[in-house]
Amino acid sequence: MSYGIYIGRNLTADGHAWLAGYGDEPSSHWLEIIDRAEHAPDATITVGVGPDSDMPGHRTQIPQAAQTARHMRVSYSYYLGVPAPITNGGLNEHGVAVRDIWSTSCQALIDMTPKDQTGPNYSDLARIVVERARTAREGVDIMAQLIAEHGYSCYGGNSHIIADPDEAWVVIQFSGGKGLWVAERLGAESIRASRPGYIGVVPTEPNETFLYPDHFIQTAVDLGWYDPASGAPFDVNAIYGDGKGPWKGMAWVEEEMRTRAAKAPITFEDVCWAIQTEKLTGDTAGYGQVVPLVHPEHSDLRMMWHAPVGPVTAPLVPVFLGQTEVPDAFAQHRYLTTGEAHRFLDRRKEAADPDTVSHVAQGIEVSESAVYEFKRLMHLAFQDEALLREVWDHWRLMEAQLAGDLPTVLETARVLLEAGKPDLARRVLTRESSAWLEDALQDCKALVGSGYARLRQRDILNRTGKPLAPEQFW
């Protein structure tokens, strides 16, 4: 289902906007940094969903861009049959960040969706925007053009937040095979949470704040869902969506952030809290991301804060666009990777059936799995309130120390870049981020060891088959 929150720059202590969130999927997750690439004029990419997806369709080829941008993202291996690898977005070298968030269409549109639907799916749209967009508005235009030219493959409707240092857009795509989408601009004074993605009343003509295709209003008229003569407002959520308005958790976190903003500018710690609080984040959160929306002097200095599982029990650690690799522990492992249960690190049957060979490199599989270790810590902490508070305090202290170290690392890399030594700058960024991620993993393992021993000794390990977790809004 996923969750995202955008905070406009006029409300923050740092003077820049923030985009934060996580993905809600049950499968494996891994961190990737993808380099800029050049593509041949006739290059294509495969998009859409297949016949085995929960809402079936046909995979098709569409043109690739001449150049795709360097970017970083979290990928994962399964959701509702959408072909892997899947992504909810990330951050690119131009400063465009994307978060994908579920947004259900009304049942009537879902029922209208063709069984042979074609066109980009939600992950394709997120990936293509971070590969191609130079601004958030261009990201909206790219999505609009793709849907108009190639269609849209859905699993019931979806949305994205696309943001850059100047503005952000909520974009909702609807089921039904009718090419329906709508976008709302967010600005410097905005606080917007999405779960699900939500847009309410829009004007009956597009303007600088609301965008949609020419047939957006007319389609509702043709279906008998809206009568312009009535003078009623065009409520997107009521007509094309679930009709529930902003969900309770969205309203709660937005109000909490507005209350904080009224007292003092919103801090980095406030933004992190919005995706860390146990009221919103639990086992379903596959990872965490917090992106400072800034324009540094060099694109290599762009960064995001990353947690390998839901950050309620994991730290957010800086990852730089300029670093050259991700530690093996944070790369793809077989743990929770869909399809790996019938594959082997063994090639003896490869000739007869290539899918018997694992998709994970053997050298990476023998490393520790950060996702596995942090999941262990999460489920220990969820069994004991005192341990949960101890883990929370430990990671918040680590994040504060990292925030203190970060300016020096960025300045060191900047000086090297200005001196024409990009390889040395990238080495610094890679070394520092990798060391921080490794320190977090080692602390996690220590907390797991002590937490397991304490719960076992007190005989309170939960063996009932009924998982314990803090109460959440969703």
Side-chain angles (χ1 to χ4, degrees):
M1 184 171 179
S2 304
Y3 162 50
I5 185 166
Y6 173 81
I7 309 293
R9 64 176 180 268
N10 288 357
L11 303 176
T12 72
D14 299 282
H16 60 73
W18 294 90
L19 180 64
Y22 57 70
D24 260 339
E25 302 85 18
S27 67
S28 58
H29 292 78
W30 60 95
L31 179 63
E32 295 185 295
I33 300 175
I34 313 297
D35 208 354
R36 184 187 307 154
E38 306 290 334
H39 304 280
D42 59 349
T44 62
I45 55 175
T46 303
V47 299
V49 298
D52 297 329
S53 298
D54 283 29
M55 291 183 66
H58 292 301
R59 302 274 276 166
T60 57
Q61 303 286 318
I62 68 171
Q64 175 61 290
Q67 183 183 80
T68 50
R70 184 176 179 86
H71 63 280
M72 51 186 168
R73 68 194 189 206
V74 171
S75 294
Y76 54 103
S77 62
Y78 181 83
Y79 192 68
L80 297 179
V82 176
I86 315 170
T87 185
N88 289 330
L91 173 68
N92 75 13
E93 63 181 285
H94 307 299
V96 178
V98 181
R99 290 244 37 90
D100 164 85
I101 301 108
W102 171 80
S103 180
T104 187
S105 301
C106 65
Q107 190 61 48
L109 283 175
I110 293 173
D111 293 341
M112 291 177 195
T113 304
K115 304 301 182 185
D116 58 350
Q117 60 178 333
T118 59
N121 63 51
Y122 74 94
S123 170
D124 296 326
L125 292 175
R127 186 190 69 254
I128 290 170
V129 168
V130 293
E131 286 179 342
R132 303 182 186 181
R134 293 176 176 270
T135 66
R137 173 57 191 272
E138 185 180 12
V140 178
D141 293 340
I142 288 170
M143 285 189 178
Q145 182 178 1
L146 289 170
I147 293 171
E149 294 182 2
H150 305 289
Y152 169 60
S153 296
C154 75
Y155 61 87
N158 214 72
S159 77
H160 299 81
I161 301 177
I162 310 174
D164 64 27
D166 299 314
E167 64 180 8
W169 291 83
V170 176
V171 189
I172 300 179
Q173 307 90 26
F174 298 92
S175 299
K178 297 182 178 298
L180 297 173
W181 60 270
V182 63
E184 178 183 358
R185 182 181 182 274
L186 309 176
E189 303 287 341
S190 296
I191 294 176
R192 173 64 68 85
S194 281
R195 185 185 168 101
Y198 171 81
I199 293 177
V201 174
V202 301
T204 54
E205 294 289 339
N207 59 29
E208 62 181 14
T209 302
F210 294 98
L211 302 174
Y212 47 77
D214 293 342
H215 64 290
F216 187 72
I217 304 292
Q218 189 59 47
T219 297
V221 175
D222 294 344
L223 291 169
W225 298 351
Y226 178 67
D227 179 8
S230 69
F234 194 94
D235 187 325
V236 174
N237 179 256
I239 295 170
Y240 287 143
D242 63 9
K244 296 180 180 179
W247 284 20
K248 185 178 180 181
M250 290 169 53
W252 176 79
V253 71
E254 285 184 2
E255 181 59 29
E256 174 63 27
M257 298 304 278
R258 289 191 186 99
T259 299
R260 295 185 181 207
K263 295 177 180 178
I266 290 175
T267 64
F268 164 68
E269 292 79 9
D270 292 326
V271 177
C272 294
W273 172 89
I275 66 166
Q276 290 166 337
T277 171
E278 65 269 25
K279 291 183 178 294
L280 303 178
T281 304
D283 186 45
T284 62
Y287 58 93
Q289 285 180 3
V290 173
V291 179
L293 296 163
V294 297
H295 278 316
E297 290 102 322
H298 302 274
S299 63
D300 278 2
L301 303 180
R302 297 193 186 281
M303 53 83 62
M304 69 181 182
W305 295 77
H306 168 73
V309 303
V312 61
T313 54
L316 290 154
V317 177
V319 179
F320 304 101
L321 189 58
Q323 67 189 74
T324 56
E325 61 186 28
V326 171
D328 287 350
F330 293 80
Q332 183 183 12
H333 285 69
R334 302 181 75 192
Y335 174 68
L336 293 181
T337 293
T338 299
E340 286 296 311
H342 68 262
R343 302 186 188 115
F344 303 90
L345 290 168
D346 186 319
R347 300 183 60 189
R348 287 176 295 168
K349 298 180 180 179
E350 182 178 21
D353 183 1
D355 198 42
T356 62
V357 180
S358 174
H359 294 176
V360 177
Q362 191 174 38
I364 292 178
E365 182 60 19
V366 298
S367 71
E368 296 172 311
S369 166
V371 171
Y372 178 73
E373 294 297 340
F374 278 97
K375 282 287 189 180
R376 292 181 66 199
L377 180 59
M378 174 181 286
H379 292 294
L380 281 166
F382 282 0
Q383 294 176 64
D384 182 61
E385 177 66 24
L387 180 57
L388 178 59
R389 297 274 66 83
E390 178 183 338
V391 168
W392 175 278
D393 290 343
H394 184 85
W395 296 137
R396 303 303 79 88
L397 178 59
M398 174 174 279
E399 288 162 353
Q401 293 171 339
L402 292 175
D405 292 342
L406 181 60
T408 300
V409 173
L410 288 170
E411 177 63 11
T412 301
R414 187 194 69 78
V415 169
L416 289 169
L417 288 164
E418 291 291 330
K421 299 181 182 297
D423 290 344
L424 290 180
R426 288 189 166 190
R427 183 173 180 178
V428 167
L429 296 173
T430 303
R431 183 188 63 196
E432 295 299 326
S433 178
S434 297
W436 292 337
L437 290 166
E438 179 63 24
D439 286 348
L441 178 57
Q442 295 310 312
D443 281 9
C444 170
K445 291 170 61 180
L447 289 166
V448 166
S450 64
Y452 180 78
R454 286 149 56 187
L455 268 63
R456 183 195 62 207
Q457 192 65 30
R458 292 157 58 197
D459 196 25
I460 60 171
L461 287 168
N462 178 21
R463 295 185 172 90
T464 66
K466 298 178 180 179
L468 300 173
E471 185 176 350
Q472 288 187 256
F473 277 104
W474 41 56

